[in-house]
Amino acid sequence: MRRFLFLFLIILMMVPVFGYDNIKVYNLPITSQDVLLNLPLNRYSFWFYIPEGVNILDKCYLNLNYFYSETMNSHESLYTILVNSYPIYSSSIVKKEGNYAKITVKIPVKRLKYGFNELSISTRQRSIEGACKDLDNDANWFIIHNTSILHLETTDKPYKISYFPYPFMDLLSLKVINSNIYLNEISNQNLDILFKLVNNLSIQDRYKRLSFRIFLDDPYVKKGENQILIGSLDRWRIFNDKSFTNIDEDSGLLYLAKYNDNLQIYISGKRKGIEKSIKYLLNPEQIKLTETNPVIITSESSLSERGIESKKVLNLKDLGYSKVVISGVHHQSFSFPLKLPIGYQSIQTGSYIELKFSHSPVLDPEKSSITLYINGIPVKAERLYGGNIENGRLKAYFPKELLKEKEWNIEIKFYHALKDLDCDKRYDEIAWTKIDGDSIIYLNKGYIEEYPNLRNIWSGNYQDIYLWFPQNPSPNEISLMATLIGKISQNTGNIYNFKVILGDELKEEMKDKDIIFIGSFYDDRLRKIEKNLWVKPEGNKFIFKKDLGIFFDGFTTDIVMQSDYSPLGGNGKLYVILYNDESSLIKFNNFLDDIRNIGKIYGQVFIMTKLGNTSSFNLVERKERFISIFEFRPLIIYLAVFIIVLAVNIIILIIMRKKNIRVSK
């Protein structure tokens, strides 16, 4: 009987799935701001992601709210709604009710798919009779209002490990996405695994409101949570069964379980096995093939990482654009963001973008063109003519006024003209330009360095970032650091190597690296960095290195965040987060939920009051590193100085000699 029961338990544990029957409802805004369409032919697209772990219900629809110009011709102005390139609804733009319309369109479930989906609104707009009269007609407009939503309803499939990170991270949700993560002990290994997980989860959506909640208490007493549990095998109660204790040393374990109405995923193993588990879980190609539960990992899984880009020369394909094809007649455009690479403080004169392109040979060479814009400024334009059909080049240097920016919006605008065209057609097949993925972005590293600034914490200047905790950090300290790391990851989209330091020790290996310190106003470790603090806590008051222009003290202040050079010297930066009590950490964590709030943290000092008010202070102006010319071109400079000094000495000797000759006479 016991043997039969044991076999039954083994079979039960091998079942790979669990599920709930609750219906989930999502109302997704298709645009955050009003969208203006003012060409004869237009298309606007909204992209959304459906995870494989859900069933899509037949209750999906689009609520489209729009304005239109009263000059539009009711018989010739039309719109079509498409899902993944399939038309699902068409109608006249002009409505009897007036120039503001609200429509509801049912979305056929068969047109939706797992992964990325495209919802498009295509318009044909006519205000003036006659061929192509509306091409640049300001009165020919159609505005998609920002109250337009896509309504989706889903239920969860029986859960499988291969669906990870869903449902532990629901990227369709508009609410703050809280991930509940449990650690069974505070150790460097567990914290390293935690921050690797946070780093990878956060880059999956760069704009969501993500927050992480870390717990050290008993997960088995909670109910109705999705829980991620990190820690060695012998410290989780659920693994007391013999079938788990027989796992080999240094083997990893991933296990999906349902306990007390909680859905749990364990990232576990013996000794170094837990490191194998996290690599397996974060390898998307590996995890999507996983059908068993539990998964015992005996070998290292290669974790494909989005590396830190610090080289001078980038290609478009490095940014994810292996080939860009822009098709359609008349005005067309393509844009992408460009961030300052890791390790850069600025760029300098000589930085440029060189586009390699080809285009359709039937374009009208007298009217067709390509123009490059940087942050809305037109920088360079070229004609699209017979001489650049195959090997076109457009080289544009960064304007001087944009060299000190940390991020740029690169926009490429096209005008595709055809002779004898019909403006009712797009001509995608014959009106096109292709931008090659080998197009060059050359960033000439600047010689100007800013004094350490809090806004640079979001740029992640080094691949190795040290996280300095007290010896026994609280769950709220770890939670805040996890959310902070999530924001760095969301902002840059990069994978980092976060290294945890517990306790008082400052290690030489931390020199020339960024350090993020977290501690209370009363932390003893502050003695080690007090010379690098602009605001030093002392009892219930603060000592200021420089007047901030306002008064605050420990009675009114929850958070003081500040930046300076590393106490170890070198080029590393020190970022310090000081807090009043545990409630202060929770309040600051809630503030960081919204990635837009990171823009409020800059300068050398940031404070948050008990009322939730925030202020940032620039205490040091940008300083020019004039000595950098010696650092980068020492031989030339030293030789020039030597020649000048030698020439001056020769001139002085000649003058002195002439004087001596006169005296002797």
Side-chain angles (χ1 to χ4, degrees):
M1 183 67 182
R2 289 184 179 178
R3 181 176 297 178
F4 174 77
L5 181 61
F6 179 74
L7 289 174
F8 175 76
L9 289 172
I10 292 292
I11 293 170
L12 184 64
M13 287 186 296
M14 293 301 291
V15 175
V17 297
F18 301 95
Y20 297 138
D21 297 325
N22 296 337
I23 294 176
K24 295 181 179 179
V25 177
Y26 306 96
N27 290 308
L28 309 178
I30 66 170
T31 176
S32 59
Q33 55 188 6
D34 294 352
V35 176
L36 170 64
L37 306 177
N38 59 1
L39 293 174
L41 298 173
N42 303 274
R43 177 171 290 200
Y44 170 76
S45 291
F46 167 70
W47 291 86
F48 57 101
Y49 185 88
I50 298 179
E52 288 194 26
V54 303
N55 296 305
I56 309 167
L57 302 183
D58 192 23
K59 297 179 181 179
C60 304
Y61 57 83
L62 170 69
N63 274 346
L64 176 63
N65 303 328
Y66 66 87
F67 296 94
Y68 61 90
S69 169
E70 294 179 336
T71 65
M72 279 198 183
N73 186 314
S74 60
H75 299 293
E76 297 191 42
S77 299
L78 311 168
Y79 69 88
T80 296
I81 297 169
L82 306 96
V83 175
N84 295 322
S85 299
Y86 288 95
I88 62 169
Y89 182 81
S90 296
S91 180
S92 172
I93 290 176
V94 178
K95 304 296 181 185
K96 294 179 181 179
E97 295 80 9
N99 75 328
Y100 179 60
K102 295 182 177 182
I103 63 148
T104 299
V105 178
K106 182 176 175 59
I107 306 292
V109 172
K110 67 180 181 179
R111 297 303 178 203
L112 298 172
K113 61 183 181 180
Y114 294 117
F116 284 102
N117 291 260
E118 181 185 17
L119 172 72
S120 300
I121 301 169
S122 177
T123 67
R124 178 186 185 274
Q125 300 170 209
R126 295 291 182 270
S127 291
I128 304 174
E129 293 185 4
C132 301
K133 296 295 184 181
D134 286 310
L135 186 56
D136 290 303
N137 177 13
D138 289 338
N140 184 43
W141 53 265
F142 176 96
I143 296 174
I144 302 172
H145 198 256
N146 64 3
T147 56
S148 302
I149 63 154
L150 174 64
H151 178 90
L152 301 176
E153 294 189 20
T154 68
T155 58
D156 287 334
K157 289 181 179 179
Y159 295 128
K160 299 167 65 175
I161 290 177
S162 59
Y163 297 153
F164 187 84
Y166 186 84
F168 303 95
M169 208 174 157
D170 185 358
L171 295 178
L172 277 174
S173 176
L174 294 180
K175 300 176 181 177
V176 176
I177 300 174
N178 290 317
S179 293
N180 298 317
I181 304 175
Y182 288 79
L183 306 179
N184 58 18
E185 67 172 332
I186 294 176
S187 67
N188 287 76
Q189 183 186 53
N190 279 358
L191 292 174
D192 286 342
I193 297 297
L194 165 67
F195 296 129
K196 186 182 289 289
L197 175 69
V198 167
N199 188 188
N200 278 266
L201 290 180
S202 298
I203 64 175
Q204 297 197 28
D205 196 306
R206 305 281 297 278
Y207 305 101
K208 286 289 184 185
R209 300 182 64 190
L210 300 181
S211 183
F212 296 91
R213 299 293 186 263
I214 315 303
F215 302 93
L216 300 174
D217 51 358
D218 187 354
Y220 304 110
V221 300
K222 303 292 180 68
K223 286 189 176 182
E225 286 188 342
N226 292 331
Q227 301 172 339
I228 301 174
L229 299 97
I230 298 173
S232 60
L233 194 66
D234 57 349
R235 289 178 174 267
W236 292 121
R237 183 194 312 166
I238 201 171
F239 295 137
N240 291 336
D241 190 280
K242 290 182 180 180
S243 59
F244 290 106
T245 55
N246 293 330
I247 293 175
D248 294 337
E249 292 296 318
D250 291 329
S251 290
L253 176 73
L254 293 175
Y255 180 49
L256 188 67
K258 189 177 180 183
Y259 188 98
N260 201 18
D261 203 29
N262 298 319
L263 184 69
Q264 302 173 324
I265 187 165
Y266 290 83
I267 305 171
S268 190
K270 291 186 177 180
R271 299 197 307 182
K272 292 185 178 180
I274 188 173
E275 297 168 15
K276 296 176 183 177
S277 297
I278 191 65
K279 288 184 178 180
Y280 185 102
L281 185 67
L282 298 179
N283 185 333
E285 298 303 317
Q286 180 75 64
I287 204 68
K288 72 181 181 182
L289 299 175
T290 302
E291 292 296 332
T292 60
N293 180 45
V295 182
I296 298 173
I297 304 121
T298 57
S299 59
E300 291 279 352
S301 174
S302 59
L303 180 59
S304 58
E305 298 185 347
R306 297 163 71 171
I308 302 295
E309 190 54 72
S310 59
K311 56 186 181 181
K312 279 187 175 183
V313 180
L314 301 173
N315 300 115
L316 271 185
K317 61 187 178 185
D318 294 329
L319 304 177
Y321 306 104
S322 57
K323 182 175 65 174
V324 178
V325 178
I326 306 299
S327 57
V329 74
H330 302 314
H331 300 284
Q332 305 293 337
S333 66
F334 163 71
S335 63
F336 61 92
L338 176 65
K339 292 180 180 291
L340 197 66
I342 299 299
Y344 277 57
Q345 295 296 331
S346 67
I347 61 173
Q348 65 174 340
T349 303
S351 302
Y352 64 84
I353 297 173
E354 184 176 16
L355 298 178
K356 300 178 182 180
F357 64 88
S358 56
H359 61 84
S360 169
V362 302
L363 294 179
D364 185 346
E366 299 300 320
K367 299 178 182 178
S368 301
S369 64
I370 176 173
T371 305
L372 180 71
Y373 289 73
I374 303 179
N375 286 5
I377 300 174
V379 180
K380 188 72 178 291
E382 289 284 352
R383 261 192 326 132
L384 300 177
Y385 68 108
N388 55 23
I389 288 176
E390 292 294 336
N391 297 301
R393 294 286 190 277
L394 186 150
K395 187 174 182 178
Y397 288 90
F398 280 75
K400 185 177 180 180
E401 63 269 27
L402 299 181
L403 296 177
K404 296 180 181 180
E405 298 294 326
K406 304 293 183 184
E407 183 176 356
W408 303 270
N409 181 57
I410 310 300
E411 186 173 20
I412 309 165
K413 292 188 177 182
F414 308 84
Y415 189 79
H416 292 158
L418 297 173
K419 294 180 179 179
D420 303 321
L421 60 85
D422 180 353
C423 285
D424 288 333
K425 298 178 180 178
R426 286 183 52 86
Y427 295 99
D428 288 350
E429 298 82 1
I430 60 174
W432 53 265
T433 300
K434 182 181 78 172
I435 305 296
D436 198 280
D438 289 326
S439 296
I440 294 171
I441 302 171
Y442 174 77
L443 300 175
N444 193 12
K445 196 169 184 178
Y447 299 152
I448 297 174
E449 183 183 357
E450 213 175 21
Y451 198 89
N453 193 305
L454 286 172
R455 72 165 172 244
N456 293 334
I457 194 174
W458 315 117
S459 303
N461 283 335
Y462 299 96
Q463 185 159 8
D464 293 337
I465 299 178
Y466 286 84
L467 310 175
W468 190 7
F469 288 95
Q471 185 63 47
N472 296 298
S474 71
N476 286 323
E477 286 177 313
I478 302 172
S479 296
L480 177 58
M481 188 68 81
T483 299
L484 186 81
I485 286 170
K487 298 310 156 187
I488 295 172
S489 306
Q490 280 188 285
N491 193 49
T492 65
N494 286 323
I495 297 296
Y496 294 91
N497 184 19
F498 293 103
K499 298 185 177 182
V500 173
I501 302 294
L502 296 173
D504 293 341
E505 188 176 2
L506 273 173
K507 299 181 179 180
E508 187 63 25
E509 67 186 56
M510 300 163 68
K511 188 176 182 180
D512 290 325
K513 304 294 184 182
D514 283 1
I515 302 171
I516 303 177
F517 173 105
I518 187 167
S520 75
F521 291 160
Y522 314 100
D523 197 309
D524 291 337
R525 294 174 299 147
L526 291 175
R527 295 195 304 269
K528 292 181 177 291
I529 60 172
E530 59 183 357
K531 293 182 180 179
N532 302 84
L533 296 177
W534 291 94
V535 180
K536 177 186 172 185
E538 192 169 280
N540 288 319
K541 63 180 182 178
F542 296 106
I543 298 176
F544 301 95
K545 186 185 292 186
K546 184 174 181 178
D547 181 28
L548 303 184
I550 67 170
F551 171 79
F552 62 94
D553 57 29
F555 295 108
T556 60
T557 307
D558 265 334
I559 296 289
V560 177
M561 195 171 173
Q562 45 194 311
S563 65
D564 207 324
Y565 288 110
S566 168
L568 295 172
N571 295 319
K573 310 296 187 298
L574 174 68
Y575 301 101
V576 178
I577 303 169
L578 300 177
Y579 64 90
N580 185 36
D581 54 31
E582 293 293 309
S583 67
S584 307
L585 292 168
I586 296 172
K587 185 183 297 183
F588 193 36
N589 202 341
N590 292 336
F591 175 79
L592 290 177
D593 284 345
D594 191 341
I595 193 169
R596 293 172 297 182
N597 282 337
I598 69 175
K600 300 177 182 179
I601 301 175
Y602 59 86
Q604 282 68 51
V605 175
F606 164 88
I607 64 167
M608 173 179 278
T609 69
K610 290 187 178 296
L611 296 177
N613 298 317
T614 62
S615 298
S616 289
F617 303 90
N618 278 309
L619 305 179
V620 179
E621 298 297 326
R622 181 185 292 270
K623 65 175 186 177
E624 305 288 337
R625 291 190 64 197
F626 292 113
I627 61 169
S628 61
I629 59 174
F630 290 93
E631 295 171 3
F632 288 88
R633 292 182 287 272
L635 293 178
I636 297 174
I637 299 300
Y638 292 157
L639 182 60
V641 172
F642 174 76
I643 292 172
I644 292 171
V645 172
L646 181 62
V648 170
N649 285 328
I650 291 173
I651 292 171
I652 292 173
L653 287 173
I654 292 172
I655 293 173
M656 293 295 296
R657 192 168 186 178
K658 287 182 178 180
K659 286 184 178 181
N660 290 336
I661 293 173
R662 289 174 183 171
V663 171
S664 62
K665 289 182 178 180

